Amino acid sequence: MSSWSWRLGVALSFVALGSFATVAGVLSQRADRFPATLFGAGASPGEPTGAGGGATGGTEPRPSTRAADRTIFGSAIRGHMPVPNGGAGVVKATPMAQAGPTLLVSADAAEVRLIDDVGAIIHSWHKAFDDVRSWSGDSHWGPDWPPQHQGRSFFRDARLLADGSILALFEGLGLVRLDAQSRVAWASRVGQKHDSFDVADNGVIYALSRRVVTRKLRLVSFRPPGDRIVETEVVVLQDDGREVERFSLLDALLDSDHATLLEWGKYADALGATCIRLAKHGSYRGQMVVCFRNLGSIAIVDPASRRVTAVFAGLVDLPSFATPLQSGRILAFGNTSLAGHATAVEFEPRTQRIVWRYPMPGEPPLRSEQFGMCQRLPNDNTLITESFSGRAIEVTSSGQIAWEYRTPYRHGERVATLFRAERIDARALRFTPRGSNGGGQ
Amino acid sequence: MRARSLLWLGAGAVCVVCAGATYGVHAEKSGSFPATLLVGASEAPAPVASTEPPWSGTSIESLPYVRGRIKAGAQRPTGVATSLPQAQDGYNLVVSADGTTVRLMDLDGETKHEWSCRFQDVTRWTGVSAWNPFPPPDHPGQTTFRRAYLAPDGALLAIFEDLGLVKLDVDSTPRWAYRGGSVHHALDVGPDGTIYVLSKRQFKGEIGTRTFESRGAVLTDDELVVLSPDGREKSRFSILDAMRKGGLASLYEGAKHTDLCHTNSVHYVRNGRHVGSVLVCFRHLNTIAMLDPTRGVAVWSLSGLFHAAHEPTVLANGNILLFDNCGNRGTSRVIEIEPASQTIVWRYPAIGEDTIFSRTCGTCQRLRNGNTLITESENGRALEVSVEGRVVWDWYSPYRLENDLVATLYDVRRIYRDEVAFEFNGARTPAGERR
C-alpha cells in the first residue's frame, strides 16, 4: 500500500470515527447517558429559563452551584428590555387612581421600596445576602451554601406586614424577615424557595420551594429526560420562620382526579409553579390558588387533603399570577403566548366565565413574557405589573389608565425587571415610613 | 517505529472520539448541526408525526382508531351474556367495524332491522372536497361506518370515516350524501333536525404568534359543520378559531400531535346552562369544550379529569357523562362530572368492580331508568350498569375481521320503543343471514 493510500485511509477513518462519536454524543445527550452526564444537565430544549425553569443540574436533590448558576435567573431575566425613551417614575396620575403608597420589588438590588403616589420613595428595606448570617433550616444546597448565583443580588417577591417589617425572598435561596429598619428578624433557607409566597391572617407563611429529584411519574406517560424532574413543594412556616410542614405539588396533582394534566408536561420543571395565594373568601376558602405556568393552568390546592381540587386550563396563557378575590372570582395574569400579548383576566371559577379582561380589543397591548402580576384595588381598579417593561399601570374597570409608573431602575444597560408593584392600604400599617429620601429617582 | 506510529494513531483516535462526542452533546443542547438532522423520539415538544397521508391507517396518530385490535380466540363468548329485568327496555343500534352495515337489535341480540350501503353505491355527493383526494383508492373509511344516527322514521345518518356523511332511508336507499371536506367520527342532530358533524381541514401551523413545527407532515384542525335536515351545508367553522375567539387557544400549547386536538365527539346540548351549544371532546388535548354554533365561539372548557376521552354528553341534571379511556393504562372508566365543582360524582367501574378497557373509541349513554349503557369498543362488548355498578345487561359482539380480530364496536346506542316508528325489515342472524 502506498504511503498516500495509507494516509487517506487513516484520515477517512478519523472522519468516520469523529462522525460516529458526534452522533453518539447527540444520542447520549438525548438519553441522558454517558458521556453527556459528564457535562452536567442543561434545560430541555424550549424550557423556560429563570424562575419557571429552575435548577436542573444533577440527579440528586443537591444541585451543584455551577449548574444552579447556569439555570437560575440568567442576567437576561433581571434586565430584559432595552431602556425606552421617555420619562421614568410616575408618568401619569389621575384622580381616578386608588390612593396609597406602592410597594415595589425590582431586580436591580436586594431592596424593597415604598413609593408615594408621585413616585418618591418614602421607605425602603434592603439587605445584602452576605449580611444575613442566621439562616435556619436544612439547606438543600448542603456544603455548597451559600451558593454563588444571582439570587443573592435581588429580591424576587416581598410582602409588607402591618408593623413595618417585610418578608422578602432571595430567589432560589431563602426567605428573610426584616424589621422596619432592615434588621434581620429571621431567615429560613429550607429548600430552594422561589417565585412566590403568601401569608395567612394568622401569620402562617406558605412558600414555594423546589429541588431536583429523580423519580418516575406514575399514572401519566410524561417522562422528562432521565426522569429528572423539578419537585415543587409547598413549605408552611410559622410566623417565626420555623417549618411546620411541606408537601409536594406533583403528588397533590398525581393524587387528584386531575392527574391527566401532567400529560401536557414538556419540561423538567413540569409544573412551572410560579404563584401561590391563599383563598380567604368564596367557595375555595382555606385552599390555595397556584399557577402551573408550564401546564397553562391555574389549580386549586387543598392543603388539608394535599390534593388538587380544581383546574382552570386555557383561560389564561402561561399564567404567572392568580389571586382569589373577595367576590369568589379569580384575577389572573397571563404572559405573551398564542394570543400575542399578555392579559389580565377575571373569571368566575364555577362557570369559567370571563367577566373582565385587560386589554380589551383596541386597547394598547401588554407585553410580558414572564412574571407579571395584578392586584384588584378597593376602588375596583386593577394594578397591573408588566415586569420586563418595568411598568405598572392602574386601570379602571372600563380600561382607562388611571396611574402609570415606569421604573427608573436598571440592570446594566437594560430595564430592571419589576417583579411586583402592590398598592398598600396605608390605614392598615402600624408604622411610620421614614419619609422621602429621593433616592433612585 | 511501527509501535510509535500505532501509539500516535491510537491517541489521535481517542482525541477524535472525545472531540466528536463533546461536540455532539453540545450540538444537541444547542439544537445545532448535526443534532437537527437526527430527528428522534426523545424530544417532541412540537406536534410531530409521520409523513404518511392521513388515511394511511397504520399510524395511531393519523387515524386514531383501528378496526380491530383484539384476537377473538375460541373461548370468547358471543351474544348476550347477562340480561336482567332491571335493564332498560328498547333496542340497540349497533355500529361495528366489520362492514358498512348498521344493525338494530333487541335485547336478546337478535337483529330486527339493518341498513347497509357500499361506498361505491353512493354516487351523488354534495359539498366541496376540501383537501383529500376523493375518493382515495384504499381509504379504510370506505369499508366501515364509523357512527350512525337513527331517526324515528327509520332514516339513518351514517359516516364513512374521513369521507362523508350519507343519509339512507329505511330500506337503505341513499337519499343524499355530503362530502364537505373530511367528515369524521361523530354527529348529532338538534331538535329541529339540524345536523352537527365534524370535518377536518389542513392547518398551516400558525396560532397567533406561535408556529407549530410539523416537519413536513400535514397538520389538521377540526371543523364543526352545520347541515340542514336535507343535507345542505348551512355553516361551518374552524374549531381552532372558535377556541381562539373564546380566549381558549392557549389549550393548544399542550398539542403534541399533527392532528392537533383530535375532536372525536359531538353532542347537541339539551339541558343545563349551555342549551343549544355543542359539546365536543378533544382527545389529544384531554379537554372537552362547549361551542356556540351560531357564533362559532368556544364558551367553556374543562381539562385534566380524563385522558384521551370520548363521548361527553350533558345529562338532565347538568352533569357531564363521558367515557374516559384513561390513555393506555389498561383500564378505562365512565365518569359523571359535576362541572361547576369539577368533582366526579359517579364512576364505573368503582374500586373492586369489573374492569373495562378500550384504548381508543368507547361510548356511553345515560338511560331513562338511570342505568348507563357503555360501549367497550375494542373489546367488542356493550354493557348496561345500574347506578350501584351492577351489570344488568351485557353483550359480546359476534362480528369479526380477518385474522380472527374482534371488530371494533364503535357504538351501541339504546333506542326506546317510542323512538321507532317504522317497520322492521326482518330478523337476521348475527351472521347476516335472513331467518
Side-chain angles (χ1 to χ4, degrees), chain A residues 94-151:
Chain A
T94 71
M96 295 182 293
Q98 172 70 47
T102 304
L103 191 77
L104 301 175
V105 183
S106 167
D108 62 303
E111 182 170 11
V112 178
R113 304 171 177 104
L114 191 66
I115 63 169
D116 63 17
D117 54 2
V118 295
I121 295 178
I122 55 175
H123 200 93
S124 69
W125 299 257
H126 51 85
K127 183 57 61 182
F129 180 82
D130 289 334
D131 293 339
V132 183
R133 304 192 184 281
S134 54
W135 291 99
S136 67
D138 294 329
S139 171
H140 171 63
W141 297 92
D144 289 334
W145 183 271
Q148 301 295 316
H149 71 69
Q150 293 204 44

Short mmCIF file of all heavy atoms in Angstrom, two decimals, chain A residues 94-151:
data_model
loop_
_atom_site.label_atom_id
_atom_site.label_comp_id
_atom_site.label_asym_id
_atom_site.label_seq_id
_atom_site.Cartn_x
_atom_site.Cartn_y
_atom_site.Cartn_z
N THR A 94 -54.00 60.29 37.91
CA THR A 94 -55.29 60.96 37.75
C THR A 94 -56.09 60.79 39.05
O THR A 94 -55.78 59.92 39.87
CB THR A 94 -56.08 60.33 36.59
OG1 THR A 94 -56.50 59.03 36.99
CG2 THR A 94 -55.24 60.24 35.32
N PRO A 95 -57.12 61.56 39.19
CA PRO A 95 -57.97 61.41 40.40
C PRO A 95 -58.65 60.05 40.47
O PRO A 95 -59.14 59.66 41.54
CB PRO A 95 -58.99 62.54 40.23
CG PRO A 95 -58.38 63.50 39.28
CD PRO A 95 -57.52 62.71 38.37
N MET A 96 -58.70 59.33 39.36
CA MET A 96 -59.35 58.01 39.38
C MET A 96 -58.51 56.96 40.10
O MET A 96 -58.99 55.88 40.40
CB MET A 96 -59.61 57.53 37.95
CG MET A 96 -60.59 58.37 37.16
SD MET A 96 -60.88 57.72 35.51
CE MET A 96 -59.29 57.98 34.73
N ALA A 97 -57.24 57.29 40.36
CA ALA A 97 -56.34 56.30 40.94
C ALA A 97 -56.67 56.06 42.41
O ALA A 97 -57.12 56.95 43.13
CB ALA A 97 -54.90 56.77 40.80
N GLN A 98 -56.44 54.85 42.84
CA GLN A 98 -56.62 54.48 44.24
C GLN A 98 -55.50 55.11 45.06
O GLN A 98 -54.33 54.97 44.73
CB GLN A 98 -56.57 52.95 44.38
CG GLN A 98 -56.55 52.44 45.79
CD GLN A 98 -57.88 52.65 46.50
OE1 GLN A 98 -58.93 52.35 45.93
NE2 GLN A 98 -57.83 53.19 47.71
N ALA A 99 -55.89 55.80 46.15
CA ALA A 99 -54.87 56.44 46.99
C ALA A 99 -54.07 55.39 47.75
O ALA A 99 -54.58 54.31 48.06
CB ALA A 99 -55.55 57.40 47.98
N GLY A 100 -52.83 55.74 48.05
CA GLY A 100 -52.00 54.85 48.86
C GLY A 100 -50.63 54.66 48.27
O GLY A 100 -50.43 54.86 47.06
N PRO A 101 -49.66 54.32 49.12
CA PRO A 101 -48.31 54.07 48.62
C PRO A 101 -48.24 52.75 47.85
O PRO A 101 -49.14 51.92 47.94
CB PRO A 101 -47.48 54.01 49.90
CG PRO A 101 -48.43 53.57 50.96
CD PRO A 101 -49.77 54.12 50.58
N THR A 102 -47.18 52.60 47.10
CA THR A 102 -46.99 51.41 46.29
C THR A 102 -45.68 50.73 46.65
O THR A 102 -44.63 51.39 46.73
CB THR A 102 -46.99 51.77 44.79
OG1 THR A 102 -48.19 52.48 44.48
CG2 THR A 102 -46.89 50.54 43.92
N LEU A 103 -45.76 49.44 46.89
CA LEU A 103 -44.57 48.66 47.24
C LEU A 103 -43.96 48.11 45.94
O LEU A 103 -44.68 47.50 45.14
CB LEU A 103 -44.95 47.50 48.17
CG LEU A 103 -43.81 46.74 48.83
CD1 LEU A 103 -43.24 47.56 49.99
CD2 LEU A 103 -44.28 45.39 49.35
N LEU A 104 -42.67 48.31 45.76
CA LEU A 104 -42.02 47.89 44.52
C LEU A 104 -40.93 46.86 44.83
O LEU A 104 -40.12 47.06 45.73
CB LEU A 104 -41.37 49.08 43.82
CG LEU A 104 -42.28 50.24 43.43
CD1 LEU A 104 -41.45 51.39 42.85
CD2 LEU A 104 -43.32 49.78 42.41
N VAL A 105 -40.93 45.79 44.06
CA VAL A 105 -39.86 44.80 44.15
C VAL A 105 -39.23 44.73 42.76
O VAL A 105 -39.88 44.35 41.79
CB VAL A 105 -40.39 43.42 44.56
CG1 VAL A 105 -39.23 42.44 44.71
CG2 VAL A 105 -41.17 43.50 45.86
N SER A 106 -37.97 45.12 42.69
CA SER A 106 -37.29 45.25 41.40
C SER A 106 -36.02 44.39 41.41
O SER A 106 -35.44 44.12 42.46
CB SER A 106 -36.94 46.73 41.18
OG SER A 106 -36.04 46.88 40.13
N ALA A 107 -35.59 43.99 40.21
CA ALA A 107 -34.46 43.07 40.11
C ALA A 107 -33.11 43.77 40.18
O ALA A 107 -32.07 43.13 40.06
CB ALA A 107 -34.55 42.28 38.80
N ASP A 108 -33.09 45.08 40.39
CA ASP A 108 -31.81 45.78 40.36
C ASP A 108 -30.99 45.59 41.63
O ASP A 108 -29.77 45.75 41.62
CB ASP A 108 -32.02 47.29 40.12
CG ASP A 108 -32.83 47.92 41.23
OD1 ASP A 108 -33.96 47.45 41.49
OD2 ASP A 108 -32.32 48.86 41.87
N ALA A 109 -31.69 45.29 42.75
CA ALA A 109 -30.95 45.19 44.01
C ALA A 109 -31.81 44.45 45.03
O ALA A 109 -33.01 44.25 44.83
CB ALA A 109 -30.64 46.60 44.54
N ALA A 110 -31.15 44.03 46.12
CA ALA A 110 -31.89 43.38 47.20
C ALA A 110 -32.51 44.47 48.06
O ALA A 110 -32.12 44.71 49.21
CB ALA A 110 -30.96 42.48 48.01
N GLU A 111 -33.47 45.14 47.48
CA GLU A 111 -34.09 46.28 48.14
C GLU A 111 -35.57 46.32 47.78
O GLU A 111 -35.95 46.06 46.63
CB GLU A 111 -33.42 47.58 47.70
CG GLU A 111 -33.97 48.80 48.38
CD GLU A 111 -33.12 50.05 48.11
OE1 GLU A 111 -32.25 49.99 47.23
OE2 GLU A 111 -33.35 51.07 48.78
N VAL A 112 -36.38 46.61 48.78
CA VAL A 112 -37.80 46.80 48.56
C VAL A 112 -38.12 48.25 48.84
O VAL A 112 -37.66 48.80 49.85
CB VAL A 112 -38.62 45.88 49.49
CG1 VAL A 112 -40.11 46.12 49.28
CG2 VAL A 112 -38.28 44.43 49.24
N ARG A 113 -38.87 48.87 47.96
CA ARG A 113 -39.12 50.31 48.09
C ARG A 113 -40.61 50.57 48.22
O ARG A 113 -41.42 49.91 47.57
CB ARG A 113 -38.56 51.05 46.88
CG ARG A 113 -37.07 50.80 46.65
CD ARG A 113 -36.62 51.38 45.32
NE ARG A 113 -35.18 51.18 45.13
CZ ARG A 113 -34.65 50.26 44.34
NH1 ARG A 113 -35.41 49.42 43.68
NH2 ARG A 113 -33.33 50.16 44.21
N LEU A 114 -40.93 51.56 49.02
CA LEU A 114 -42.31 52.02 49.15
C LEU A 114 -42.34 53.44 48.59
O LEU A 114 -41.61 54.32 49.09
CB LEU A 114 -42.73 52.00 50.62
CG LEU A 114 -44.21 52.21 50.92
CD1 LEU A 114 -45.05 51.04 50.40
CD2 LEU A 114 -44.43 52.35 52.44
N ILE A 115 -43.14 53.65 47.56
CA ILE A 115 -43.20 54.99 46.96
C ILE A 115 -44.58 55.60 47.19
O ILE A 115 -45.57 54.89 47.38
CB ILE A 115 -42.89 54.96 45.45
CG1 ILE A 115 -43.94 54.14 44.70
CG2 ILE A 115 -41.48 54.44 45.19
CD1 ILE A 115 -43.85 54.27 43.19
N ASP A 116 -44.62 56.93 47.18
CA ASP A 116 -45.92 57.58 47.30
C ASP A 116 -46.53 57.74 45.91
O ASP A 116 -45.98 57.26 44.91
CB ASP A 116 -45.78 58.92 48.05
CG ASP A 116 -44.90 59.92 47.30
OD1 ASP A 116 -44.66 59.72 46.08
OD2 ASP A 116 -44.43 60.88 47.92
N ASP A 117 -47.67 58.45 45.85
CA ASP A 117 -48.40 58.48 44.58
C ASP A 117 -47.73 59.31 43.51
O ASP A 117 -48.16 59.31 42.36
CB ASP A 117 -49.84 58.94 44.81
CG ASP A 117 -49.90 60.26 45.54
OD1 ASP A 117 -48.83 60.82 45.82
OD2 ASP A 117 -51.01 60.74 45.83
N VAL A 118 -46.65 60.04 43.86
CA VAL A 118 -45.91 60.75 42.81
C VAL A 118 -44.55 60.09 42.55
O VAL A 118 -43.73 60.60 41.80
CB VAL A 118 -45.71 62.25 43.14
CG1 VAL A 118 -47.05 62.96 43.18
CG2 VAL A 118 -44.96 62.43 44.46
N GLY A 119 -44.30 58.97 43.19
CA GLY A 119 -43.10 58.21 42.88
C GLY A 119 -41.94 58.43 43.82
O GLY A 119 -40.87 57.83 43.63
N ALA A 120 -42.09 59.28 44.83
CA ALA A 120 -40.99 59.50 45.77
C ALA A 120 -40.90 58.34 46.76
O ALA A 120 -41.93 57.85 47.24
CB ALA A 120 -41.21 60.81 46.52
N ILE A 121 -39.69 57.92 47.05
CA ILE A 121 -39.50 56.81 47.99
C ILE A 121 -39.77 57.32 49.40
O ILE A 121 -39.15 58.28 49.87
CB ILE A 121 -38.08 56.24 47.89
CG1 ILE A 121 -37.86 55.62 46.51
CG2 ILE A 121 -37.84 55.20 48.97
CD1 ILE A 121 -36.48 55.08 46.29
N ILE A 122 -40.68 56.67 50.08
CA ILE A 122 -40.98 57.07 51.46
C ILE A 122 -40.44 56.07 52.47
O ILE A 122 -40.39 56.36 53.67
CB ILE A 122 -42.49 57.30 51.65
CG1 ILE A 122 -43.27 56.04 51.25
CG2 ILE A 122 -42.96 58.51 50.87
CD1 ILE A 122 -44.77 56.17 51.52
N HIS A 123 -40.03 54.91 52.00
CA HIS A 123 -39.38 53.96 52.88
C HIS A 123 -38.74 52.88 52.01
O HIS A 123 -39.22 52.61 50.92
CB HIS A 123 -40.39 53.31 53.84
CG HIS A 123 -39.76 52.70 55.06
ND1 HIS A 123 -39.62 53.39 56.25
CD2 HIS A 123 -39.20 51.49 55.29
CE1 HIS A 123 -39.03 52.62 57.15
NE2 HIS A 123 -38.76 51.46 56.58
N SER A 124 -37.66 52.30 52.55
CA SER A 124 -37.08 51.18 51.81
C SER A 124 -36.46 50.20 52.79
O SER A 124 -36.10 50.56 53.92
CB SER A 124 -36.05 51.66 50.79
OG SER A 124 -34.91 52.17 51.44
N TRP A 125 -36.37 48.98 52.36
CA TRP A 125 -35.75 47.92 53.13
C TRP A 125 -34.68 47.31 52.23
O TRP A 125 -34.94 47.05 51.05
CB TRP A 125 -36.75 46.83 53.48
CG TRP A 125 -37.90 47.26 54.33
CD1 TRP A 125 -38.08 47.05 55.66
CD2 TRP A 125 -39.08 47.94 53.89
NE1 TRP A 125 -39.28 47.55 56.09
CE2 TRP A 125 -39.91 48.12 55.02
CE3 TRP A 125 -39.50 48.46 52.66
CZ2 TRP A 125 -41.14 48.75 54.95
CZ3 TRP A 125 -40.73 49.08 52.59
CH2 TRP A 125 -41.54 49.23 53.72
N HIS A 126 -33.53 47.09 52.76
CA HIS A 126 -32.50 46.46 51.94
C HIS A 126 -31.62 45.59 52.81
O HIS A 126 -31.43 45.86 54.01
CB HIS A 126 -31.66 47.51 51.20
CG HIS A 126 -31.13 48.59 52.10
ND1 HIS A 126 -29.95 48.45 52.81
CD2 HIS A 126 -31.64 49.80 52.43
CE1 HIS A 126 -29.76 49.54 53.52
NE2 HIS A 126 -30.75 50.37 53.32
N LYS A 127 -31.10 44.57 52.23
CA LYS A 127 -30.23 43.67 52.97
C LYS A 127 -29.35 42.91 51.99
O LYS A 127 -29.85 42.25 51.06
CB LYS A 127 -31.09 42.68 53.77
CG LYS A 127 -30.33 41.71 54.65
CD LYS A 127 -29.42 42.38 55.66
CE LYS A 127 -30.13 43.26 56.64
NZ LYS A 127 -29.19 43.93 57.59
N ALA A 128 -28.07 43.04 52.17
CA ALA A 128 -27.14 42.24 51.35
C ALA A 128 -27.22 40.79 51.81
O ALA A 128 -27.29 40.52 53.02
CB ALA A 128 -25.73 42.77 51.49
N PHE A 129 -27.19 39.91 50.86
CA PHE A 129 -27.30 38.48 51.19
C PHE A 129 -26.22 38.07 52.19
O PHE A 129 -26.48 37.32 53.13
CB PHE A 129 -27.20 37.65 49.91
CG PHE A 129 -27.31 36.17 50.15
CD1 PHE A 129 -28.55 35.57 50.29
CD2 PHE A 129 -26.18 35.37 50.23
CE1 PHE A 129 -28.67 34.21 50.51
CE2 PHE A 129 -26.29 34.01 50.45
CZ PHE A 129 -27.54 33.43 50.58
N ASP A 130 -25.03 38.54 52.00
CA ASP A 130 -23.92 38.14 52.88
C ASP A 130 -24.08 38.66 54.30
O ASP A 130 -23.40 38.18 55.21
CB ASP A 130 -22.58 38.61 52.29
CG ASP A 130 -22.22 37.81 51.05
OD1 ASP A 130 -22.68 36.65 50.94
OD2 ASP A 130 -21.50 38.34 50.18
N ASP A 131 -24.95 39.64 54.48
CA ASP A 131 -25.18 40.16 55.84
C ASP A 131 -26.22 39.36 56.60
O ASP A 131 -26.48 39.64 57.77
CB ASP A 131 -25.61 41.63 55.77
CG ASP A 131 -24.48 42.52 55.25
OD1 ASP A 131 -23.31 42.08 55.33
OD2 ASP A 131 -24.78 43.62 54.75
N VAL A 132 -26.84 38.42 55.94
CA VAL A 132 -27.81 37.54 56.62
C VAL A 132 -27.04 36.30 57.07
O VAL A 132 -26.58 35.53 56.24
CB VAL A 132 -28.98 37.15 55.70
CG1 VAL A 132 -29.99 36.32 56.46
CG2 VAL A 132 -29.63 38.38 55.09
N ARG A 133 -26.86 36.14 58.37
CA ARG A 133 -25.97 35.06 58.83
C ARG A 133 -26.73 33.96 59.58
O ARG A 133 -26.25 32.85 59.68
CB ARG A 133 -24.89 35.64 59.73
CG ARG A 133 -24.10 36.75 59.02
CD ARG A 133 -22.84 37.14 59.76
NE ARG A 133 -22.20 38.26 59.08
CZ ARG A 133 -21.45 38.15 57.98
NH1 ARG A 133 -21.24 36.97 57.45
NH2 ARG A 133 -20.91 39.20 57.42
N SER A 134 -27.87 34.27 60.09
CA SER A 134 -28.54 33.31 60.97
C SER A 134 -29.62 32.53 60.23
O SER A 134 -30.80 32.58 60.56
CB SER A 134 -29.17 34.06 62.15
OG SER A 134 -30.01 35.10 61.66
N TRP A 135 -29.23 31.81 59.19
CA TRP A 135 -30.19 31.03 58.41
C TRP A 135 -30.63 29.82 59.22
O TRP A 135 -29.80 29.11 59.80
CB TRP A 135 -29.57 30.55 57.11
CG TRP A 135 -29.30 31.65 56.14
CD1 TRP A 135 -28.12 32.27 55.91
CD2 TRP A 135 -30.25 32.26 55.26
NE1 TRP A 135 -28.25 33.23 54.94
CE2 TRP A 135 -29.56 33.25 54.52
CE3 TRP A 135 -31.61 32.09 55.02
CZ2 TRP A 135 -30.19 34.04 53.56
CZ3 TRP A 135 -32.23 32.86 54.07
CH2 TRP A 135 -31.52 33.83 53.35
N SER A 136 -31.91 29.55 59.24
CA SER A 136 -32.41 28.35 59.91
C SER A 136 -32.84 27.34 58.86
O SER A 136 -33.06 27.67 57.70
CB SER A 136 -33.61 28.71 60.80
OG SER A 136 -34.70 29.11 59.99
N GLY A 137 -32.98 26.10 59.32
CA GLY A 137 -33.43 25.04 58.42
C GLY A 137 -32.27 24.41 57.68
O GLY A 137 -31.19 24.98 57.55
N ASP A 138 -32.53 23.17 57.22
CA ASP A 138 -31.51 22.45 56.46
C ASP A 138 -31.52 22.95 55.03
O ASP A 138 -32.55 22.93 54.37
CB ASP A 138 -31.80 20.95 56.48
CG ASP A 138 -31.66 20.39 57.88
OD1 ASP A 138 -30.82 20.93 58.63
OD2 ASP A 138 -32.39 19.46 58.21
N SER A 139 -30.36 23.34 54.58
CA SER A 139 -30.32 23.84 53.23
C SER A 139 -30.26 22.70 52.23
O SER A 139 -29.53 21.73 52.40
CB SER A 139 -29.09 24.72 53.02
OG SER A 139 -28.96 25.01 51.65
N HIS A 140 -31.02 22.88 51.23
CA HIS A 140 -30.98 21.98 50.08
C HIS A 140 -29.59 22.02 49.42
O HIS A 140 -29.19 21.11 48.74
CB HIS A 140 -32.07 22.44 49.13
CG HIS A 140 -32.06 21.79 47.81
ND1 HIS A 140 -32.27 20.45 47.64
CD2 HIS A 140 -31.88 22.29 46.57
CE1 HIS A 140 -32.22 20.17 46.36
NE2 HIS A 140 -31.98 21.26 45.69
N TRP A 141 -28.87 23.10 49.65
CA TRP A 141 -27.59 23.29 48.98
C TRP A 141 -26.44 22.58 49.69
O TRP A 141 -25.36 22.47 49.13
CB TRP A 141 -27.25 24.78 48.90
CG TRP A 141 -28.25 25.55 48.08
CD1 TRP A 141 -29.35 26.18 48.54
CD2 TRP A 141 -28.22 25.75 46.67
NE1 TRP A 141 -30.02 26.77 47.51
CE2 TRP A 141 -29.34 26.52 46.33
CE3 TRP A 141 -27.35 25.35 45.66
CZ2 TRP A 141 -29.63 26.90 45.04
CZ3 TRP A 141 -27.64 25.75 44.36
CH2 TRP A 141 -28.76 26.50 44.07
N GLY A 142 -26.66 22.15 50.95
CA GLY A 142 -25.63 21.43 51.67
C GLY A 142 -24.34 22.22 51.78
O GLY A 142 -24.36 23.43 52.07
N PRO A 143 -23.21 21.56 51.55
CA PRO A 143 -21.93 22.24 51.71
C PRO A 143 -21.71 23.34 50.67
O PRO A 143 -20.77 24.13 50.81
CB PRO A 143 -20.90 21.12 51.54
CG PRO A 143 -21.62 20.01 50.87
CD PRO A 143 -23.04 20.14 51.22
N ASP A 144 -22.55 23.39 49.64
CA ASP A 144 -22.41 24.46 48.65
C ASP A 144 -22.96 25.78 49.16
O ASP A 144 -22.91 26.79 48.45
CB ASP A 144 -23.13 24.08 47.36
CG ASP A 144 -22.40 22.97 46.62
OD1 ASP A 144 -21.17 22.85 46.80
OD2 ASP A 144 -23.06 22.22 45.90
N TRP A 145 -23.56 25.78 50.33
CA TRP A 145 -24.11 27.01 50.88
C TRP A 145 -23.00 27.94 51.34
O TRP A 145 -22.06 27.47 51.95
CB TRP A 145 -25.05 26.68 52.05
CG TRP A 145 -25.70 27.90 52.61
CD1 TRP A 145 -25.22 28.70 53.61
CD2 TRP A 145 -26.92 28.48 52.21
NE1 TRP A 145 -26.07 29.73 53.85
CE2 TRP A 145 -27.14 29.63 53.01
CE3 TRP A 145 -27.87 28.15 51.23
CZ2 TRP A 145 -28.26 30.43 52.87
CZ3 TRP A 145 -28.98 28.95 51.12
CH2 TRP A 145 -29.17 30.09 51.92
N PRO A 146 -23.03 29.21 51.11
CA PRO A 146 -24.03 29.87 50.29
C PRO A 146 -23.68 29.78 48.82
O PRO A 146 -22.53 29.99 48.44
CB PRO A 146 -23.94 31.32 50.78
CG PRO A 146 -22.52 31.49 51.20
CD PRO A 146 -22.08 30.16 51.72
N PRO A 147 -24.66 29.43 47.99
CA PRO A 147 -24.39 29.30 46.56
C PRO A 147 -24.10 30.66 45.93
O PRO A 147 -24.58 31.68 46.39
CB PRO A 147 -25.68 28.70 46.02
CG PRO A 147 -26.72 29.08 47.01
CD PRO A 147 -26.05 29.18 48.34
N GLN A 148 -23.33 30.59 44.88
CA GLN A 148 -22.92 31.84 44.22
C GLN A 148 -23.77 32.06 42.98
O GLN A 148 -23.30 31.93 41.86
CB GLN A 148 -21.43 31.75 43.83
CG GLN A 148 -20.51 31.51 45.00
CD GLN A 148 -20.52 32.69 45.97
OE1 GLN A 148 -20.48 33.83 45.55
NE2 GLN A 148 -20.61 32.38 47.26
N HIS A 149 -25.05 32.31 43.16
CA HIS A 149 -25.82 32.65 41.96
C HIS A 149 -26.54 33.96 42.16
O HIS A 149 -26.50 34.55 43.23
CB HIS A 149 -26.75 31.51 41.54
CG HIS A 149 -27.91 31.28 42.43
ND1 HIS A 149 -28.95 32.15 42.55
CD2 HIS A 149 -28.21 30.24 43.24
CE1 HIS A 149 -29.84 31.68 43.38
NE2 HIS A 149 -29.41 30.51 43.82
N GLN A 150 -27.20 34.39 41.09
CA GLN A 150 -27.70 35.76 41.09
C GLN A 150 -28.85 35.99 42.06
O GLN A 150 -29.23 37.13 42.30
CB GLN A 150 -28.13 36.14 39.68
CG GLN A 150 -26.97 36.24 38.72
CD GLN A 150 -27.30 37.14 37.55
OE1 GLN A 150 -27.86 38.22 37.74
NE2 GLN A 150 -26.95 36.71 36.36
N GLY A 151 -29.42 34.92 42.59
CA GLY A 151 -30.49 35.08 43.57
C GLY A 151 -30.04 35.84 44.80
O GLY A 151 -30.86 36.36 45.56
#
